[in-house]
Amino acid sequence: MLSAINPSALKKQFPIFKRKIHGKSLTYLDNAATTQKPQAVIDTITDYYTNHNANIHRGVYQLSQEATGLYEAAHATIGRFIGASADEIIFTRNTTESINLLAHSLPPLFGKRNELLLTELEHHANLVPWQQLAKRAGMQLKFIRMNSDFTLDLADAEKKITSKTALVALCHVSNALGTINPVQKITQLAKAKGALTVVDAAQSVPHMPVDVKRLGCDFLAFSGHKMYGSTGIGVLYGRKELLERMPPYMTGGDMIKRVSYHDAEWNDLPMKFEAGTPHISGAIGLAAAVSYLQKIGMENIRKHEEHLTALALEQLKKFSVTIYHPGINHGAGIISFNLRGVHAHDVASLMDDHGICIRGGHHCAMPLMKKLGIPGTARISFGLYNTEQDVAAVMIALQSIIKKFGVKV
Ligand SMILES: Cc1ncc(COP(=O)(O)O)c(C=O)c1O
């Protein structure tokens, strides 16, 4: 399969790749943690602060109106990107905050249902907030099992989604294993039983086409910094009808229509959930990142990353490594592996000597690592600018690590 895009040309649009690390070209393969930023996004943020900076929704003067216009347009751009309307897009700090918002504001919609259903593959961000809610509200926490091939056990999902289920919350793509979960099937099962659905899309929105209507989910969360935008800006999508029925997460300025000394009336969506001065430049920068991604095309990005994943999986198999990936048909561009007898941190640290950034550790998925019986993994995760040469660089570095540790191949 040929790559659908020219990643070497795209790499040139990211100024950080001019850097040398330990005298070597930078090979960045930790995109699941955060992505690098294209000049187009950096320029948009610089332009905002250089030419349009003012607080939003508060000034009658031109600058404030410009800033407000740009901020509101960002809601619309991001909404269109995932098949939602502008008022269904709430800006948060990140995926973590989006899920915390839900864990705080959703329970009044649960009625008598008292079970929260997650999967065994969740990032702590889509686990700990629900654990805390379960403790606070006396709810039961259940988990859809993972099969031995790292895919989700659909039969188990079918068994566990019942009329007691208040909510099914699952990742679209596992940040630790790359598994692409069958979200559509799960949301259908949930809907049939009247349960709400939350999708943690932190690892899917930057890498493949995502449409909330097609997925059939009620809520979807993702982070700007993992999709070529800045840190400190995240998104929560929610179905309007549900957001309207939910109480706000934070209260204060901007999220109100009228306030008296003893009471307040909430603002319209999405402001009701955006208390205080938001990350204006982050939102505008994220809209620029979305435009950048749309120009390349999400289908093309997916195909390109699929190609690199297949290539890396094939080459890794030649080494003495254990691979934790469900295979190209069920997995995204995230590959976890362990080199026999070498700690994942050592692999990551020795890769750095070669100018290669990969992650070693539990990937904020401690229960999943425990289930796998390992402390962690080394993890390669692809972005749109990665090349076949990047894959080759990893294999050369691995060879030298194997030699250093005397691993039997
Ligand atoms: C699947 C998944 N969910 C949630 C998060 C949390 O993202 P953030 O730290 O931006 O809130 C991550 C980050 O790695 C992730 O990979």
Side-chain angles (χ1 to χ4, degrees), residues 32-33 94-97 123 125 171 173 175 200 202-203 223 225-226:
N94 46 38
T95 306
T96 304
E97 188 174 276
H123 185 284
C171 56
V173 171
N175 68 302
D200 171 354
Q203 300 296 348
S223 296
H225 70 95
K226 293 182 196 290

Side-chain angles (χ1 to χ4, degrees), residues 76-95:
T77 301
I78 289 147
R80 277 194 301 275
F81 186 53
I82 59 164
S85 63
D87 52 4
E88 293 176 314
I89 300 297
I90 294 156
F91 285 127
T92 60
R93 279 190 302 142
N94 46 38
T95 306

Side-chain angles (χ1 to χ4, degrees), residues 8-197:
S8 305
L10 292 176
K11 214 175 223 188
K12 293 201 176 84
Q13 298 167 2
F14 290 72
I16 203 161
F17 289 110
K18 290 191 192 118
R19 271 214 56 182
K20 297 276 182 224
I21 302 287
H22 308 303
K24 312 251 168 40
S25 298
L26 167 62
T27 302
Y28 189 79
L29 288 163
D30 196 17
N31 295 286
T34 199
T35 54
Q36 299 303 338
K37 317 305 170 199
Q39 194 63 53
V41 168
I42 298 168
D43 286 348
T44 299
I45 294 169
T46 306
D47 176 62
Y48 168 71
Y49 281 122
T50 309
N51 296 308
H52 309 288
N53 178 56
N55 210 330
I56 55 164
H57 296 146
R58 293 173 192 192
V60 290
Y61 51 87
Q62 180 171 339
L63 266 191
S64 173
Q65 284 172 6
E66 283 173 14
T68 303
L70 289 166
Y71 182 71
E72 286 180 351
H75 284 90
T77 301
I78 289 147
R80 277 194 301 275
F81 186 53
I82 59 164
S85 63
D87 52 4
E88 293 176 314
I89 300 297
I90 294 156
F91 285 127
T92 60
R93 279 190 302 142
N94 46 38
T95 306
T96 304
E97 188 174 276
S98 297
I99 295 170
N100 273 276
L101 186 162
L102 292 174
H104 177 275
S105 297
L106 259 189
L109 272 59
F110 290 165
K112 290 201 166 59
R113 293 168 182 257
N114 75 335
E115 288 182 7
L116 300 168
L117 184 60
L118 314 181
T119 82
E120 289 182 333
L121 294 108
E122 300 311 312
H123 185 284
H124 297 160
N126 197 30
L127 169 59
V128 183
W130 303 119
Q131 279 176 356
Q132 294 307 303
L133 170 61
K135 283 181 209 281
R136 271 199 314 273
M139 298 184 80
Q140 244 202 313
L141 206 54
K142 292 192 167 176
F143 297 90
I144 303 170
R145 282 167 47 81
M146 180 181 73
N147 294 314
S148 57
D149 65 357
F150 312 117
T151 60
L152 207 58
D153 183 342
L154 267 176
D156 194 48
E158 223 162 316
K159 217 165 55 201
K160 287 177 178 158
I161 300 174
T162 71
S163 56
K164 289 188 196 153
T165 312
L167 175 91
V168 185
L170 79 165
C171 56
H172 193 179
V173 171
S174 156
N175 68 302
L177 306 176
T179 307
I180 303 174
N181 281 325
V183 170
Q184 249 173 320
K185 284 193 188 137
I186 299 285
T187 59
Q188 278 163 12
L189 290 171
K191 211 173 269 170
K193 298 285 178 185
L196 295 166
T197 49

